[in-house]
Amino acid sequence: MALGPGLRDRLGAVLRNTAARLGRSLDAIAGAAAGNEGAAADRRATADSIEEVLLEADVGVAAAARIMAGIDAEAAAAGGPPLRGRVRREMLRILSAPPPPPPVAASPRVVLVVGVNGTGKTTTVGKLAALLQREGARPLICAADTFRAAAIDQLAAWAQRAGVDMVKARAGGDPAAIVYDAIDAARARGRDVVIVDTAGRLHTRSDLMAELEKIRRVASRAVAGAPHDVLLALDATVGQNGLVQARQFLERAGVNGIVLTKIDGTAKGGIAVAIACELGLPIRYVGVGEALEDLLPFAPDAYVDALFTQSW
Amino acid sequence: MFEVLGNRFRDIFAGIRGEVRLTPAAVEAALREIRLALLEADVNFKVVKAFVARVRDRAVDRKVLDSLTPAQQVVGIVRDELLALFGKQRPVFGATGRRPQVVLLIGLQGSGKTTTAAKLAHWLRRQGRRPLLVSVDVRRPAAVEQLAVLGSQADLAVHDPAERESAAARARSAVEQARADGFDTVIVDTAGRLHVDDVLMSELDEIAAAVDPTERLYVADAMTGQDAVKSAGEFHRRAAITGIVLTKMDGDARGGAALSIVAVVGVPIVFSGCGERLEDLESFAPDRMVSRMLGMGDVLTLVERAEQAAAGQQAQPAGGPAPGGDFTLEDLRRQLAVIGRMGPLDQLLGLIPGMGSLAAGDPEIDPRRMARVAAIIDSMTREERRRPALMNGSRRRRVARGSGTSVEEVNRLLKQFVQMRRLLKTVRAGARGRRPGARGLRERLRIPGAPGARR
């Protein structure tokens, strides 16, 4: 997906905003260490500081250790690039997971948005519809959260804002059936993308995860290869449990991309780095605010640059 | 939720418990493990640093290391410091005399405020109070409707002024209705907001100025990471939080963020939400949680659940003990029902001191087995339940068919039951003269095979 310079700047601006509020500066750490990186004790202290920065960003012990190990190996070789550059390069390498395979020529394309409760699925579906429409697609929204009270009303408000049709079930209805209906409706109305909002479910609830498997089965009977995209909405504030969530949703729902939501606070969503590192799942979009246009395609370099060139 | 952390602690302590003499190096190795466990549980890295430093200061001390029980002393130090992290317990909703009391629920988007509002109202109603709910979230689409639907599902009073006014005006209007109609508590569900959103944070000031809340509860997602202390700290600075409600405890998050909030912000956790049902809200007791984490069990919670479950049983027609006071299959069936009401079996075992690690991953501890046993007993006639000796081959086949089990399973149950009854007779005599407290507990629990289960 092409990323215009305007969008890149916005992502950078949002993240810098985030960054500016936090006191820690990788530059400062790197700067202080620049003159005396030679001494082993100082190298140790610098490495510890960088590890703390990564831990504070929720990157997690294991992924942080992997990043640090990559750097240590380099540090052993004389005359490597400056420390900051090495950390940046290591993180970029992790985040630049291979892009998803080119879309099959299925019509309509089915996009499932899944995740635990309260991560911002409904909001993401509304914004994603608007984004795809701006890119020239003709989306249709499917309200398959039949559990949470008033979830359908909430999505209807977003559909209206985005100027996109919505197909809905009644509360308590069968979500798989409504997905089937929505695909039918999309064909009849000439829509090329169906974006499905699913109910929030904790990844520990086996019965609810089985419901997602059923939605997948039913969708694949309606269109070949559906669902083509399964996006896991991940709250940027989530801690190490995010990795467990991603693993479970990958296993049970075939997640193939991450939407990092609520990145406009002070949280940095570093767990997405751990997820990319461990599971190879790419971050596809980031949610940066409450307005309709506040969903941006993810750009690894903009993300890493914004975090590492500015005070953290 | 803190159980995973507890398991890690148990493993770490198991490593040092065997040592007769502890060296500073052994303590250091245990501390490294503790640091990792806490970080993986999302405890804030600064809190971890300070925690490890405090434990090290106290543990690497000649008096501790040279004592007769160095390992126990170290475990004790960790326990003390964990308790210090969790903070003191604080009674909520004490009688302040003011009517109505106003509870403000605040927090980030998606932390679970609306669901918590409904659960809290239900909890208060069970305490014999009359709560009134009001949503002042005029921003998120359908947020007001969500609370209205939850309220009507549970038959809880929800205030919803016809016109969509400002948040402060809606809150004030709810307090007026509460005063007029005799509600004693108003629960105000506010919009989710980011702690860095200045405009929305000042809306909180307006709401507070309008209704002068008695409680300002910060609703926090148990799965939050390192950022938790920043957001909670900012909410506390702007809105003077009085307590924390921890939500989504039924996930497998390790809850370190919650520990960190308490440690950094200095406000206690008062409730925890642990499921999607309205009843899934519990008041939070830090000392019990620490005991559970360290594998010391949580007998108090067990007793409470038993009491609740037993209270539920009294509503049923009293079966009464069989004549002669012998333990019968009917008694066993009743006990299964009571245990079933107390919660998942593995969770219960975690509450019993020393049983926590046993519960983890034991295939024998399977709630479905309990259900099958119940089905078998349900398929017997009353006479058969009272006199299992009646169960001949044809009766056993009938019961197996009726309960959807096999004759082997019926045989096994009957055999175990006879053994259980024999055991019970032997120990019952021995149980006399024990501490009344312990006997009372056993009596209330009525665990099959437990000494003194019935007298």
Side-chain angles (χ1 to χ4, degrees):
Chain A
M1 202 169 300
L3 182 60
L7 285 182
R8 265 203 64 162
D9 288 353
R10 268 208 69 208
L11 176 57
V14 167
L15 289 171
R16 268 195 298 279
N17 237 341
T18 301
R21 289 191 203 97
L22 304 167
R24 297 178 72 82
S25 159
L26 193 67
D27 274 341
I29 296 166
N36 47 16
E37 231 178 280
D42 290 329
R43 263 211 313 275
R44 188 67 247 158
T46 310
D48 280 354
S49 306
I50 293 180
E51 194 188 20
E52 281 187 0
V53 172
L54 294 174
L55 289 179
E56 189 178 13
D58 287 319
V59 168
V61 179
R66 261 167 87 165
I67 293 171
M68 297 312 292
I71 293 161
D72 276 352
E74 269 192 65
L83 188 62
R84 191 190 71 205
R86 279 181 263 151
V87 177
R88 177 180 179 278
R89 235 180 35 206
E90 187 65 19
M91 290 192 73
L92 261 184
R93 197 185 59 72
I94 291 171
L95 283 175
S96 305
V104 279
S107 189
R109 192 175 171 72
V110 179
V111 181
L112 221 57
V113 179
V114 300
V116 301
N117 315 64
T119 53
K121 285 175 296 302
T122 304
T123 305
T124 296
V125 167
K127 292 177 188 171
L128 184 60
L131 176 67
L132 294 180
Q133 201 169 32
R134 283 203 301 276
E135 289 175 345
R138 292 164 49 76
L140 177 89
I141 288 178
C142 169
D145 180 354
T146 55
F147 180 79
R148 180 163 61 93
I152 295 173
D153 297 337
Q154 185 186 350
L155 188 59
W158 278 104
Q160 202 183 0
R161 277 185 206 170
V164 172
D165 283 0
M166 184 178 97
V167 173
K168 62 174 186 191
R170 66 203 149 63
D174 176 16
I178 191 62
V179 171
Y180 194 91
D181 288 352
I183 293 170
D184 256 4
R187 278 213 185 91
R189 302 180 202 176
R191 302 305 155 89
D192 48 18
V193 187
V194 176
I195 309 171
V196 182
D197 182 29
T198 62
R201 64 202 75 223
L202 287 176
H203 50 291
T204 49
R205 289 284 302 272
S206 186
D207 51 338
L208 295 180
M209 295 303 274
E211 186 186 88
L212 280 183
E213 290 169 341
K214 183 180 172 193
I215 292 178
R216 284 182 62 92
R217 274 197 311 276
V218 170
S220 74
R221 277 204 291 273
V223 197
H228 308 91
D229 291 288
V230 183
L231 301 177
L232 174 69
L234 198 70
D235 192 320
T237 61
V238 76
Q240 298 312 299
N241 190 248
L243 184 58
V244 187
Q245 290 172 27
R247 199 177 287 130
Q248 284 298 316
F249 276 97
L250 173 65
E251 211 169 273
R252 303 288 299 269
V255 163
N256 58 12
I258 304 283
V259 182
L260 202 53
T261 63
K262 309 184 206 172
I263 200 153
D264 44 335
T266 46
K268 291 158 295 282
I271 192 65
V273 177
I275 291 172
C277 187
E278 178 131 336
L279 304 174
L281 281 176
I283 308 174
R284 300 273 289 278
Y285 301 96
V286 287
V288 297
E290 295 189 323
L292 192 60
E293 57 281 0
D294 287 339
L295 184 77
L296 308 175
F298 177 73
D301 50 349
Y303 178 78
V304 177
D305 277 353
L307 291 179
F308 277 86
T309 55
Q310 296 293 317
S311 61
W312 196 326
Chain B
M1 162 184 93
F2 293 102
E3 282 78 358
V4 181
L5 196 49
N7 285 339
R8 284 290 296 269
F9 277 129
R10 270 198 289 281
D11 289 348
I12 295 167
F13 292 144
I16 58 170
R17 260 188 180 129
E19 312 281 327
V20 181
R21 295 195 59 83
L22 268 189
T23 61
V27 173
E28 205 52 52
L31 282 174
R32 259 199 306 281
E33 292 289 318
I34 289 174
R35 172 178 177 273
L36 265 184
L38 291 174
L39 281 174
E40 278 168 9
D42 290 320
V43 178
N44 184 272
F45 76 99
K46 285 178 193 156
V47 175
V48 173
K49 225 174 166 175
F51 179 86
V52 170
R54 272 199 308 274
V55 174
R56 180 185 291 119
D57 270 1
R58 292 182 53 192
V60 185
D61 181 321
R62 285 261 71 88
K63 263 186 272 172
V64 173
L65 297 181
D66 291 346
S67 72
L68 283 174
T69 53
Q72 273 82 339
Q73 298 233 13
V74 172
V75 174
I77 290 168
V78 172
R79 184 177 183 280
D80 288 353
E81 293 296 337
L82 272 178
L83 265 176
L85 275 190
F86 265 115
K88 289 270 170 292
Q89 196 172 3
R90 186 183 72 91
V92 273
F93 303 114
T96 63
R98 231 186 70 202
R99 290 279 158 119
Q101 291 190 29
V102 180
V103 183
L104 219 55
L105 295 177
I106 60 179
L108 299 169
Q109 289 99 335
S111 55
K113 287 174 295 301
T114 306
T115 307
T116 299
K119 287 179 179 176
L120 187 57
H122 179 79
W123 188 88
L124 285 167
R125 187 168 58 184
R126 276 174 49 169
Q127 307 284 311
R129 299 173 65 130
R130 290 196 65 207
L132 178 66
L133 286 161
V134 63
S135 168
V136 301
D137 184 355
V138 290
R139 297 171 48 87
R140 179 162 65 90
V144 173
E145 287 81 356
Q146 186 183 348
L147 190 64
V149 172
L150 286 174
S152 72
Q153 279 170 358
D155 198 21
L156 292 161
V158 180
H159 179 69
D160 190 3
E163 63 274 31
R164 293 210 144 199
E165 322 161 77
S166 74
R170 288 180 67 90
R172 196 181 303 117
S173 151
V175 171
E176 278 159 16
Q177 195 207 328
R179 220 169 260 140
D181 297 347
F183 291 99
D184 53 25
T185 315
V186 177
I187 300 170
V188 183
D189 177 26
T190 66
R193 65 201 74 218
L194 281 171
H195 50 294
V196 292
D197 187 332
D198 226 32
V199 178
L200 273 179
M201 289 304 278
S202 48
E203 186 200 68
L204 281 185
D205 300 338
E206 288 165 29
I207 300 171
V211 296
D212 187 20
T214 28
E215 295 280 351
R216 302 155 200 248
L217 302 182
Y218 179 71
V219 180
D221 186 329
M223 296 183 283
T224 317
Q226 298 284 323
D227 196 53
V229 292
K230 280 189 214 103
S231 40
E234 192 58 23
F235 268 96
H236 189 48
R237 197 177 67 77
R238 296 288 300 253
I241 303 165
T242 60
I244 294 162
V245 182
L246 210 52
T247 62
K248 306 180 203 170
M249 296 260 288
D250 46 333
D252 49 5
R254 301 178 190 180
L259 268 177
S260 310
I261 296 177
V262 176
V264 173
V265 184
V267 174
I269 302 172
V270 288
F271 286 105
S272 61
C274 46
E276 291 184 341
R277 298 174 313 150
L278 215 52
E279 297 78 36
D280 296 331
L281 185 78
E282 289 181 358
S283 57
F284 188 88
D287 47 344
R288 297 185 193 179
M289 192 51 82
V290 169
S291 290
R292 226 189 283 184
M293 280 172 69
L294 297 180
M296 298 168 179
D298 179 3
V299 173
L300 286 175
T301 298
L302 191 64
V303 170
E304 251 169 38
R305 290 212 192 164
E307 277 169 356
Q308 273 176 15
Q313 188 182 27
Q314 279 162 13
Q316 299 173 352
D326 257 350
F327 186 71
T328 70
L329 279 164
E330 278 182 326
D331 298 317
L332 177 60
R333 178 71 188 86
R334 261 198 301 278
Q335 288 172 359
L336 287 177
V338 171
I339 292 173
R341 272 200 299 275
M342 284 165 61
L345 205 52
D346 49 346
Q347 230 188 61
L348 286 182
L349 283 177
L351 299 175
I352 302 172
M355 296 289 273
S357 46
L358 194 127
D362 187 340
E364 290 286 301
I365 294 161
D366 182 354
R368 273 169 308 188
R369 270 178 57 142
M370 266 174 65
R372 293 171 85 83
V373 168
I376 292 173
I377 301 177
D378 286 346
S379 298
M380 297 179 182
T381 65
R382 184 186 297 170
E383 205 46 39
E384 286 167 350
R385 281 181 222 144
R386 293 193 175 168
R387 291 172 52 207
L390 285 176
M391 295 293 291
N392 58 22
S394 112
R395 285 177 191 254
R396 287 176 193 222
R397 273 195 300 280
R398 190 201 80 236
V399 166
R401 255 201 324 278
S403 57
T405 58
S406 60
V407 177
E408 288 74 41
E409 277 173 280
V410 176
N411 288 345
R412 199 182 313 138
L413 170 66
L414 290 171
K415 196 169 157 200
Q416 282 173 351
F417 174 76
V418 172
Q419 286 171 353
M420 193 188 290
R421 185 151 65 174
R422 197 176 305 138
L423 183 74
L424 211 55
K425 274 187 179 145
T426 349
V427 294
R428 202 177 279 166
R432 296 191 210 288
R434 291 199 186 213
R435 281 176 297 123
R439 192 168 53 221
L441 171 66
R442 277 192 300 274
E443 221 151 40
R444 258 177 295 198
L445 291 179
R446 297 193 167 193
I447 291 175
R454 265 174 35 79
R455 339 198 85 233

